[in-house]
Amino acid sequence: MNSVWLDSVNRFDNLGSLNEDVEADICIIGAGIFGATCAYYLSKLGYKTIVLEKDDIATKTTAFTTGKITSQHGLFYSYLIKTFGLSFAKDYFDSNEEAINNIVNIIEDEKINCDLELQNNYVYTASASSIPAIEEEISAVQSLGGSCEFTTTTSFPFKIKGAACFKNQAQFNPLKYVHALCQKSIDRGTTFYINTVATNIEKHGELYQTFANNHIITSKYVIVASHYPFMKLPGFYFSKMYQSTSYIIAIDAKKTLPNGMYICSDVPHFSFRTAKFNGKRILLIGGFEHKTGLPVSYKDSYGALENEAKSLYPECEVLYKWSTEDCISLDKVPYIGSYSPTLPNVFVGTGFKKWGMTLSNVAANIIVDKIQNVDNKYAEIYCSSRFDAFKNFKEFKNMMVQSANSLIFNKLKPSEEDFEEIPNDSGGIIQINKEKVGIYKDVNGKVFAVKPICTHLGCLLSWNDVDKTWDCPCHGSRYDFSGKNIYNPAFDDLETYDIN
Ligand SMILES: Cc1cc2nc3c(=O)[nH]c(=O)nc-3n(C[C@H](O)[C@H](O)[C@H](O)COP(=O)(O)OP(=O)(O)OC[C@H]3O[C@@H](n4cnc5c(N)ncnc54)[C@H](O)[C@@H]3O)c2cc1C
């Protein structure tokens, strides 16, 4: 899978993997936008920092994002006020507004060429029945001292009934930005190790030992920037977070495109933004989210986006299709802070719920302040040790039922698929001698066989015929058709069988 962003940067060609024990002030695990932002700030402060990256710099969620930089996270502020109160919601709003400024300032100060453009952001509805929710949101934002306007027109060729507009938001090419942050950090002495998988962290007195590639990194602080935290215990993040997948297509509309970033407040939450690519202005259309690991069809994902594109721009050409996933906490607020009370100087930032451009900056600032022992007025609302299943009991129950099914009941059910009936370029689970075996046949009929059991907690995987991956319905780990792990929290590949 490829994205516009991945095709617009060159890979770093001078990074190696960890092959010795090392010492540092800070060890960062993961080089997506969050890990890269932490590395950038810490390098400016002169800390000796190393970054461990399982694959390559920013090739996971950050590489497949939409890249809108906004504090308008859907219709979110009325929810926050109702659930947590005014002061909490104001801190959330202010922290994300500050993050936009921080990102713009970094880009200007460091002269980063990442196609930054100031844009208005709109949450719109095409349904009259959703207007009260839009109006309620506008009042909520205004009660926080924010500016949010009602409008009934957009410059896009679709009709709306109304929209809440945040002015002075922004969009950029997220990978050009992240690559520049990494390069600036490298220039200031940070070392990045790629193809280096962190597998555990242990506390030894005042120091921490991180284990990766059969070597040990000893540091005073560790930042877990691996998207979904890879360590099960302590922390228990797997019991308070799930992952959600969405789809994006990039089109050449063959027409002049208007300005603005848009997201629909109603399902399927269509999202639009333009982007600069190869000297042209193209359009990204996103949407069709579902819990990672649940069944999905082409028709209900890329197919539906293509239909939307054709209905708006009949002459359009689809240039790219991609999907990715993000972590959602039970109460929809990220977890930022200490990984667990027993690991006080190990920090985490996760649960960015598809708004990680600003939230990763908020997280990096909170954690860098903690390392420097500086008070951060936003730290409390994001406190990572909270666990309140009742804020979203419906999703908590869903998670528990899904886990019980995938861990126990579905494993006991005999597989109904037959090897012969699996067509080329498709997959499924068959039964061989009472053992479940995951089969993928490539376009030429070559067979890839895996043990379809997630290496994280042992859940039964499901075949995703849209992206040709093995997906975990429990916590959202994903593997390619050959069993190579792509997404966390699992980090080990699947066991494979040679049955050709
Ligand atoms: C479809 C979609 C659209 C989105 N659009 C927007 C948007 O418009 N605006 C917005 O603000 N947000 C958006 N988001 C959210 C945003 O993209 C994410 O929140 C953000 O990219 C997450 O960054 P990250 O650094 O936490 O994770 P990642 O980019 O996934 O980085 C984590 C890194 O850690 C590495 N890693 C994992 N495990 C280990 C290990 N054990 N050892 C070493 N390294 C490890 C991984 O390989 C990876 O490189 C979107 C999300 C989705 C799903």
Side-chain angles (χ1 to χ4, degrees):
M1 199 188 297
N2 221 349
S3 72
V4 167
W5 318 128
L6 279 169
D7 270 356
S8 60
V9 292
N10 295 320
R11 309 311 310 158
F12 285 85
D13 54 11
N14 50 357
L15 303 180
S17 59
L18 182 73
N19 57 10
E20 59 181 343
D21 291 357
V22 289
E23 289 179 9
D25 297 325
I26 296 144
C27 172
I28 300 175
I29 301 166
I33 190 167
F34 173 46
T37 309
C38 292
Y40 169 77
Y41 282 132
L42 292 166
S43 73
K44 278 189 85 176
L45 292 166
Y47 287 100
K48 183 179 177 198
T49 306
I50 67 153
V51 182
L52 312 177
E53 168 49 52
K54 178 166 162 281
D55 291 305
D56 204 346
I57 304 295
T59 48
K60 292 291 158 35
T61 303
T62 301
F64 300 101
T65 183
T66 321
K68 298 175 185 170
I69 311 168
T70 176
S71 58
Q72 191 182 27
H73 298 172
L75 299 183
F76 197 50
Y77 291 103
S78 44
Y79 160 79
L80 282 182
I81 293 171
K82 273 186 222 152
T83 315
F84 299 99
L86 208 63
S87 143
F88 187 108
K90 182 160 172 52
D91 280 349
Y92 186 98
F93 175 76
D94 289 347
S95 59
N96 281 279
E97 279 284 301
E98 261 180 41
I100 301 175
N101 286 336
N102 293 340
I103 294 169
V104 171
N105 288 341
I106 292 173
I107 292 169
E108 284 172 0
D109 291 351
E110 301 287 359
K111 301 187 176 42
I112 297 174
N113 177 6
C114 60
D115 306 330
L116 176 76
E117 293 173 273
L118 292 188
Q119 295 278 352
N120 292 345
N121 195 63
Y122 300 84
V123 179
Y124 72 90
T125 180
S127 150
S129 62
S130 298
I131 290 294
I134 299 266
E135 286 171 343
E136 187 187 6
E137 179 71 2
I138 292 171
S139 307
V141 176
Q142 288 168 349
S143 73
L144 304 175
S147 156
C148 182
E149 289 170 14
F150 183 76
T151 176
T152 51
T153 51
T154 74
S155 45
F156 265 97
F158 46 69
K159 287 203 168 60
I160 64 160
K161 290 282 182 217
C165 170
F166 275 32
K167 293 198 165 144
N168 289 322
Q169 311 290 292
Q171 63 185 28
F172 65 170
N173 178 322
L175 275 210
K176 287 187 182 174
Y177 173 73
V178 169
H179 273 233
L181 293 187
C182 293
Q183 189 57 58
K184 300 285 172 198
S185 310
I186 291 168
D187 295 346
R188 294 186 183 115
T190 304
T191 310
F192 285 74
Y193 295 102
I194 58 168
N195 299 318
T196 299
V197 188
T199 52
N200 200 11
I201 305 166
E202 285 177 7
K203 187 171 188 303
H204 289 267
E206 292 301 297
L207 297 176
Y208 290 88
Q209 291 191 336
T210 303
F211 297 82
N213 288 15
N214 292 322
H215 290 286
I216 297 176
I217 303 95
T218 305
S219 60
K220 200 164 171 207
Y221 304 96
V222 181
I223 302 175
V224 179
S226 60
H227 191 233
Y228 201 118
F230 66 95
M231 259 193 331
K232 297 183 261 285
L233 305 177
F236 294 94
Y237 290 90
F238 63 87
S239 67
K240 52 184 196 174
M241 211 164 59
Y242 64 97
Q243 301 207 58
S244 169
T245 297
S246 304
Y247 300 81
I248 297 177
I249 62 171
I251 63 163
D252 179 352
K254 314 270 183 197
K255 278 201 163 179
T256 308
L257 288 167
N259 279 323
M261 308 183 293
Y262 299 85
I263 191 158
C264 182
S265 63
D266 309 311
V267 176
H269 299 306
F270 277 117
S271 153
F272 301 89
R273 68 155 278 192
T274 57
K276 290 180 186 166
F277 184 63
N278 282 350
K280 275 190 185 159
R281 186 162 275 277
I282 61 169
L283 180 65
L284 308 190
I285 309 179
F288 292 93
E289 66 181 346
H290 61 86
K291 198 167 168 201
T292 306
L294 295 189
V296 59
S297 68
Y298 189 91
K299 182 172 133 294
D300 292 333
S301 52
Y302 298 117
L305 292 176
E306 284 164 0
N307 286 344
E308 179 71 5
K310 289 277 176 204
S311 78
L312 295 173
Y313 297 100
E315 307 300 318
C316 74
E317 180 193 349
V318 177
L319 305 173
Y320 287 86
K321 301 172 203 184
W322 69 78
S323 76
T324 191
E325 62 197 70
D326 210 5
C327 305
I328 324 271
S329 70
L330 283 175
D331 58 15
K332 303 183 194 151
V333 177
Y335 298 120
I336 302 170
S338 284
Y339 198 89
S340 119
T342 56
L343 298 175
N345 284 342
V346 177
F347 300 108
V348 68
T350 187
F352 297 149
K353 59 161 183 98
K354 302 189 187 175
W355 297 108
M357 300 300 104
T358 53
L359 284 166
S360 60
N361 185 279
V362 173
N365 275 290
I366 289 175
I367 289 168
V368 170
D369 282 350
K370 279 190 187 289
I371 288 173
Q372 290 181 283
N373 226 351
V374 169
D375 219 30
N376 184 303
K377 62 180 171 177
Y378 304 124
E380 203 182 319
I381 67 161
Y382 295 104
C383 171
S384 44
S385 59
R386 72 187 191 279
F387 177 69
D388 188 352
F390 289 95
K391 285 261 167 12
N392 190 350
F393 190 67
K394 191 169 145 241
E395 189 49 54
F396 179 67
K397 203 171 131 204
N398 272 347
M399 280 169 59
M400 293 301 123
V401 170
Q402 190 66 62
S403 297
N405 282 338
S406 302
L407 266 171
I408 306 164
F409 303 117
N410 293 347
K411 280 188 190 164
L412 296 174
K413 280 191 211 151
S415 299
E416 283 167 8
E417 285 180 88
D418 188 87
F419 180 84
E420 300 303 331
E421 282 169 10
I422 297 175
N424 284 0
D425 200 26
S426 190
I429 296 178
I430 61 164
Q431 195 106 357
I432 303 179
N433 298 333
K434 294 193 178 162
E435 281 285 316
K436 287 191 166 31
V437 178
I439 298 291
Y440 167 68
K441 295 179 187 171
D442 76 7
V443 279
N444 301 314
K446 185 177 174 201
V447 177
F448 294 82
V450 299
K451 184 173 179 177
I453 302 296
C454 185
T455 57
H456 174 229
L457 280 174
C459 292
L460 183 66
L461 301 173
S462 57
W463 173 249
N464 173 339
D465 208 38
V466 174
D467 285 330
K468 315 295 173 197
T469 53
W470 291 104
D471 298 353
C472 179
C474 290
H475 307 105
S477 298
R478 292 175 75 187
Y479 307 80
D480 75 8
F481 60 81
S482 71
K484 183 181 179 325
N485 173 250
I486 333 175
Y487 280 103
N488 269 19
F491 48 78
D492 284 326
D493 296 340
L494 297 178
E495 208 178 299
T496 57
Y497 307 109
D498 188 2
I499 61 169
N500 277 294

